[in-house]
Amino acid sequence: MLRSLSSRSALRSLTAAGSHQAASLSSLPSLSLQRLQNARAISSLRHAQPAPAIGAGRALKAPAAPAAAVQVHAAQHARHMSSQSTLDTFANQDKVPRLPVPSLDAMAAKYLASCKPVLSPDEFEATKAAVEQFISPAGLGPVLQQRLIEYERKQPNSWLEDIWLNKAYLEYREPAPINSNWWCAFINHPNHPKDLLHKPPPKGVMSSFQVQRAAGLITNALNFKEILDSGNYPPEYARDTPLCMNQYRNMFGTTRIPGAPADTVKTAHPAQAKHIVVLARDQIYKVDVIRENGVRVPLKEIERLLFAVGQDSQESESQPPIGLLTAGHRDTWAKAYSHMQSLSQANRDSFSIINDALFAVSLDDHASHHNINSSHHQIFHNYDGSNRWFDKAISLIVSSSGQAGVNGEHSPADAVVPGNLMNFMVSHEPAVDPDHTVASPPLPAPTKLKWVVDDQVEALLADARKTIKDLIDDTESCLLQTDVYGGRFIKEVAKSSPDAYVQIALQLAYYRLHGDVTPMYESASTRKFLHGRTETGRSTSSESVAFVKAFDDDEILYDDKRRLFAQAVATQSTYMKEAAAGQGIDRHLLGLRCMLKDEEKALPSLFTDPAYIKSMTFRLSTSNMSPGDFFYGGFGPVVTDGYGINYAIGKDDLKLSMSHKKSAGTTDCFKFRSTLERTLVDMFILFPKRTEVWGYGWEAKHEAERKEAHFLKRMRKLSDDYRAKQAVFADRYKNRLSKSSTAESS
C-alpha cells in the first residue's frame, strides 16, 4: 500500500521512474575548440616519457616561474573570455512558456485509457466510477484543480518545479546509488593501450594512463564549463522550438546535502570554485584545477596533482571512508552529517570543500574485466560503494585500466543535459591544452581532508556499509548491443518512429517472458517549458496490448499483425508528443495530490482507488539516450519486481542496459536480454525484406558508407588539429619576426 509520497514503493511507482529522460540526446555542435584548444598539436599521448605507475615513482614536479607571468596571463585570459561572447546560452529563457495545468477532463480521459489495458473489466468499471465522481462538480477534483491553479500563479517559474524536486528526490529516503543515481560508461580512449585493458595493474596500483586520461577528461569538462560560463554554449531547440536551458546551471559546483526530513541541493551558476575533489582509496583531496584569478593550467599540471593524490593516498595515514555514508540510507547519512558538523570545525570545513567543488573525480586502484558487460558495474556502484561521493551532481570515475565513466546524482538535472557534457568530454579525447594556460608557478599541493569521528559515526558508517552491500548484492544488471538493425532500418523499412518501435519491442519481450502485460514508463522531456523536467509517457496502451498478444498467435494474419503494430506505434507516439507538450497525466495527478489537506487524504477519491497505484507500478521503466555514440547508460529498477532499461538507437545498431532485483524472484535481466534479442529478430517478419527496400548488395553499400563516415570524421579531426597548430605556428612566426626586426633596428 501507498504510505506516503516519500516511501520507496509509492514514490518510485508514482514519480521516480520519471526521472530518466527520454528525449534524444542532441549532439553538442562542434565548436572545434578554436577558442579553447589552440595550444598545441595532438601527439601520441602528450608524453615522450610516460609517468610511472603510482607506487613506483614520485609525483611530477613543475618548474617554478615568476608570479608576474600569472598576472600577465590573467589579463590576457580576461580579454580572451570577453572577446568571444558571441552567443547567449540563456537568450531564449524569456521566450519559453510556463508549464500549463492540464484540464481535469483531458486528464480523466487519458487516465482511463491508460488504466484499461492493465485492469480487469470489473476493476475498470470501478475505476471509471471513481474518476467520474472525482471530476464531477461535487467531487474533490475541481477543488484540488483550483488550488493547483492558484498555486501555479504564485510560483516564479513552474508549478511543478519544487513539487517534483522534493517528492521525486529530496524527500526520498532510500540510498541514492542504484535507486536514484544514473551511470554512464564511456567508450575507450582513442589511444587506449590494449595491453592495459587485457592486463590491468594488480589491485592496489594505479596506472600512468589512468591519471593521464583523468587529467584529459577534467580538462575537457573545464573547457565545457568555460564555454557555458562565457555564454558560448548554443541555446538548444526542438526543431524550431527553444528549450529551457536552466538545467545547465545545475551541473558544476552542485551537491545534494543530506537533511531530515528532506535533503537540499546546493548549486551556483557560474560556479566560482576553483577546485575539484579527488577520491583515491577512500581518501578525499581538495585539488585546485584553476588559478585563483581564473587562469587555466595545462594538462601536465593537472596530471602532476593527480599523481600526488595517488602517491599520498598510498603513503599517508588513512582517514575514515566518509564517502561511504553517501551510499547509505538518507536518514542515516543526514544523522551522520549533522553529528559530524557538531564534532569539529575541521569536519565543517571538509564538507564545505566537497559541497563547493566543481565536481568529483574517483581514481580507483582496481579495474574490472575490459568487457563492458562487467566493467559497467564499477561505474554503477563499484561493487561495494567505496571511493565515491554519490551526492555530487557529476562524479567522474577512472579505473586503473583507464576505463572511465560518470555516476550522476539525479536531483539537479535529467540525464540528457549532463549527457551533453559527457558527449563533449569524450568526443574531444585526446584532450589538449586551452590556449590561455600558464604552467607556473605550480598550483598548491592537494589537500587531504581530515575527519573527526566518534563511536556514533563509526556505527553509522557500519550501517551504511551494510545497507549498500545489501542493495548491490540484490541488484543485477547486464548490457545488450546488437547490430541486427538500428534507426535506419526502423525508419526506412519498418516505416516507424525508432523510439516507438523499441517501446513496442520491449513490451513484446516482457509479454513473452512473463506471460502478462504491465504498465510501462518512458520519460518525456518537458524542456519546452520554463524549468521543465520530465513527464511520464505511459507506453502500455490497449493498442500495444492487442499487438503483443497477437504477435505469436498463428491464427492471426500477418496483415492484421502489421495493422495492430501500426496502431500501437501511433498511439505511443501521440501520447509522447502530448506528454512533451505538458499534457501528460502523472505530473498533473502528483500536483493535485499535493494540494490535498490532511483531512481530505482519507476521503474516497481517485487517489484511494486501487487502480491509482496499480497503473503506476511501472515494471518496465525506460529511458532513451540516443544515439549513445560515446557511452552506455543505465539505472536501477524503480519497483522491486521490475526492470530499469536504458537504450540508445544508433544508425545501424541498438544498445541497451537492463537491471532487476534478485529478491523479486520473478524478474531476470539476463533472460529478458535473451528474449528481447530474439524478439528483435522475430519482428523482421512484419516488414519487407531489406533487399526489397535497399536493393541487392545493401550490406556492402552500408559498410562503405560507414567507412566513408569514419574517414570523414578522421579528416575533420585532422583539419581541426591543423587549424589549432596553424594558430600556434603563426604566433611563433610573428614573435620571431618581431625579435628579428628588433635585433636589426638595434
Side-chain angles (χ1 to χ4, degrees):
M1 287 296 293
L2 178 67
R3 293 190 300 275
S4 71
L5 279 172
S6 60
S7 68
R8 182 187 187 281
S9 60
L11 174 65
R12 303 216 81 199
S13 299
L14 177 64
T15 58
S19 59
H20 300 287
Q21 197 167 5
S24 294
L25 177 64
S26 56
S27 296
L28 172 64
S30 175
L31 303 180
S32 75
L33 287 183
Q34 288 177 330
R35 296 188 297 271
L36 295 173
Q37 295 183 335
N38 288 338
R40 56 178 169 159
I42 296 176
S43 58
S44 59
L45 193 60
R46 303 188 303 274
H47 295 296
Q49 296 290 332
I54 295 172
R58 299 298 301 176
L60 302 176
K61 299 292 184 182
V70 180
Q71 296 170 355
V72 171
H73 212 88
Q76 295 173 347
H77 171 69
R79 290 194 297 272
H80 167 87
M81 294 299 293
S82 62
S83 66
Q84 62 176 356
S85 295
T86 57
L87 300 171
D88 186 351
T89 303
F90 302 100
N92 293 328
Q93 289 301 96
D94 59 349
K95 303 173 187 175
V96 178
R98 293 169 67 92
L99 182 71
V101 177
S103 72
L104 275 181
D105 288 341
M107 178 276 293
K110 291 176 186 175
Y111 177 72
L112 287 173
S114 71
C115 288
K116 191 170 186 178
V118 297
L119 300 178
S120 69
D122 289 344
E123 288 173 332
F124 180 74
E125 288 303 317
T127 296
K128 184 178 179 182
V131 171
E132 289 174 349
Q133 194 282 328
F134 180 78
I135 65 172
S136 69
L140 195 54
V143 176
L144 300 179
Q145 178 81 348
Q146 186 57 39
R147 289 177 192 166
L148 185 58
I149 291 172
E150 292 172 1
Y151 176 82
E152 191 278 337
R153 291 172 182 154
K154 298 174 183 177
Q155 303 312 303
N157 300 299
S158 167
W159 63 265
L160 182 59
E161 184 173 20
D162 288 343
I163 290 175
W164 179 246
L165 180 63
N166 287 308
K167 299 301 179 184
Y169 300 109
L170 303 184
E171 293 179 11
Y172 183 59
R173 309 317 291 160
E174 294 300 312
I178 298 177
N179 291 313
S180 178
N181 283 27
W182 47 264
W183 62 268
C184 282
F186 298 164
I187 62 173
N188 291 331
H189 190 282
N191 300 329
H192 215 121
K194 292 183 179 179
D195 288 347
L196 191 61
L197 289 171
H198 292 277
K199 293 186 68 176
K203 184 173 175 58
V205 177
M206 299 181 189
S207 70
S208 299
F209 181 78
Q210 171 188 17
V211 170
Q212 291 166 359
R213 188 176 193 193
L217 290 168
I218 291 167
T219 293
N220 285 345
L222 296 176
N223 288 344
F224 187 95
K225 180 182 184 297
E226 198 165 272
I227 294 171
L228 192 63
D229 291 352
S230 65
N232 280 285
Y233 186 91
E236 294 172 348
Y237 293 81
R239 297 186 179 176
D240 295 328
T241 303
L243 299 179
C244 178
M245 302 293 287
N246 182 63
Q247 291 183 47
Y248 283 98
R249 296 184 172 116
N250 300 332
M251 285 196 297
F252 296 101
T254 300
T255 312
R256 180 171 174 170
I257 310 295
D263 297 345
T264 55
V265 175
K266 182 183 186 301
T267 190
H269 179 80
Q272 297 303 307
K274 304 297 189 293
H275 70 278
I276 60 175
V277 287
V278 179
L279 292 87
R281 300 182 176 93
D282 278 315
Q283 309 302 289
I284 307 174
Y285 296 81
K286 176 188 177 185
V287 178
D288 290 336
V289 290
I290 303 173
R291 298 188 183 280
E292 279 301 317
N293 52 17
V295 172
R296 295 282 300 281
V297 298
L299 280 160
K300 284 186 177 180
E301 177 67 356
I302 296 177
E303 288 178 12
R304 180 186 71 84
L305 296 169
L306 296 182
F307 269 107
V309 165
Q311 196 74 29
D312 185 82
S313 70
Q314 186 180 52
E315 297 175 351
S316 64
E317 181 181 357
S318 292
Q319 293 290 303
I322 300 301
L324 199 60
L325 289 165
T326 69
H329 192 278
R330 300 307 296 180
D331 288 340
T332 301
W333 177 207
K335 188 184 300 183
Y337 188 84
S338 176
H339 180 64
M340 288 184 67
Q341 289 194 97
S342 72
L343 290 179
S344 76
Q345 182 63 44
N347 287 348
R348 293 192 290 274
D349 291 343
S350 292
F351 283 137
S352 180
I353 288 169
I354 294 170
N355 296 339
D356 292 342
L358 296 176
F359 49 90
V361 177
S362 293
L363 298 177
D364 289 344
D365 63 351
H366 64 97
S368 307
H369 190 275
H370 64 88
N371 187 312
I372 196 170
N373 242 314
S374 173
S375 63
H376 80 273
H377 293 106
Q378 192 165 349
I379 311 300
F380 195 3
H381 45 61
N382 202 25
Y383 305 99
D384 59 2
S386 64
N387 207 45
R388 301 286 182 269
W389 197 271
F390 286 107
D391 285 356
K392 290 301 290 184
I394 299 293
S395 289
L396 173 65
I397 299 158
V398 187
S399 76
S400 61
S401 67
Q403 292 174 290
V406 163
N407 191 290
E409 201 285 303
H410 217 318
S411 62
D414 301 304
V416 168
V417 170
N420 283 334
L421 164 63
M422 294 182 289
N423 230 11
F424 183 94
M425 291 165 63
V426 182
S427 66
H428 288 98
E429 288 188 295
V432 297
D433 289 332
D435 64 352
H436 50 283
T437 62
V438 61
S440 56
L443 287 172
T447 303
K448 185 172 184 174
L449 304 190
K450 303 295 180 65
W451 304 103
V452 176
V453 301
D454 58 11
D455 290 344
Q456 181 178 341
V457 175
E458 293 288 0
L460 292 171
L461 267 169
D463 182 86
R465 183 179 288 107
K466 182 180 185 305
T467 297
I468 189 60
K469 181 182 185 302
D470 292 345
L471 180 59
I472 292 170
D473 288 348
D474 189 38
T475 304
E476 190 58 87
S477 57
C478 64
L479 309 180
L480 169 64
Q481 181 164 6
T482 175
D483 59 0
V484 62
Y485 47 73
R488 171 159 44 186
F489 169 86
I490 296 171
K491 286 186 285 189
E492 297 179 10
V493 179
K495 305 296 183 184
S496 169
S497 153
D499 181 70
Y501 186 103
V502 173
Q503 288 285 305
I504 301 305
L506 290 169
Q507 290 185 53
L508 178 55
Y510 184 94
Y511 182 73
R512 283 176 150 186
L513 182 60
H514 294 283
D516 198 5
V517 295
T518 185
M520 182 178 184
Y521 171 92
E522 179 185 8
S523 63
S525 171
T526 53
R527 285 180 59 211
K528 292 179 181 178
F529 301 98
L530 195 62
H531 289 214
R533 295 288 298 262
T534 62
E535 174 59 272
T536 300
R538 293 193 171 201
S539 295
T540 302
S541 64
S542 296
E543 291 79 6
S544 69
V545 170
F547 169 73
V548 301
K549 289 184 175 180
F551 186 82
D552 289 319
D553 189 339
D554 292 338
E555 300 299 318
I556 298 177
L557 298 174
Y558 284 118
D559 283 346
D560 291 332
K561 293 177 182 180
R562 280 187 280 270
R563 176 179 53 80
L564 292 172
F565 172 79
Q567 291 172 350
V569 165
T571 300
Q572 195 273 345
S573 297
T574 298
Y575 196 108
M576 285 297 290
K577 288 176 183 176
E578 292 177 352
Q583 297 300 315
I585 61 176
D586 285 84
R587 303 298 182 267
H588 186 197
L589 286 169
L590 174 62
L592 294 173
R593 188 172 181 185
C594 288
M595 297 299 109
L596 283 168
K597 296 179 180 179
D598 289 342
E599 63 271 17
E600 296 169 334
K601 292 178 181 178
L603 296 176
S605 73
L606 179 154
F607 301 119
T608 59
D609 178 56
Y612 177 65
I613 298 303
K614 187 173 183 178
S615 69
M616 292 188 294
T617 304
F618 297 114
R619 293 184 182 88
L620 283 175
S621 178
T622 68
S623 169
N624 181 350
M625 282 287 285
S626 298
D629 293 335
F630 297 104
F631 51 76
Y632 260 103
F635 52 92
V638 300
V639 295
T640 301
D641 58 343
Y643 298 95
I645 300 175
N646 179 270
Y647 59 92
I649 306 168
K651 189 174 184 180
D652 293 304
D653 69 344
L654 301 171
K655 292 163 59 175
L656 302 97
S657 70
M658 48 206 78
S659 61
H660 81 277
K661 296 287 187 187
K662 299 175 187 177
S663 57
T666 56
T667 50
D668 187 322
C669 63
F670 297 102
K671 290 182 179 178
F672 190 92
R673 176 176 64 180
S674 298
T675 305
L676 177 62
E677 197 165 16
R678 177 168 58 87
T679 297
L680 291 170
V681 173
D682 290 350
M683 287 177 70
F684 270 128
I685 201 167
L686 295 176
F687 312 111
K689 292 181 178 180
R690 285 174 281 190
T691 52
E692 296 177 24
V693 178
W694 291 332
Y696 288 102
W698 63 268
E699 293 111 320
K701 293 177 185 176
H702 287 182
E703 180 61 26
E705 286 180 20
R706 281 192 289 270
K707 288 182 178 179
E708 183 178 3
H710 180 68
F711 175 77
L712 289 174
K713 183 178 179 180
R714 289 181 62 190
M715 291 300 102
R716 191 178 298 114
K717 176 74 172 164
L718 289 172
S719 175
D720 288 346
D721 294 346
Y722 173 75
R723 286 197 295 269
K725 287 187 286 186
Q726 196 175 33
V728 175
F729 292 151
D731 287 342
R732 290 178 182 173
Y733 183 68
K734 288 178 183 177
N735 290 336
R736 288 176 181 174
L737 281 180
S738 177
K739 290 178 181 178
S740 177
S741 299
T742 302
E744 289 176 3
S745 62
S746 61

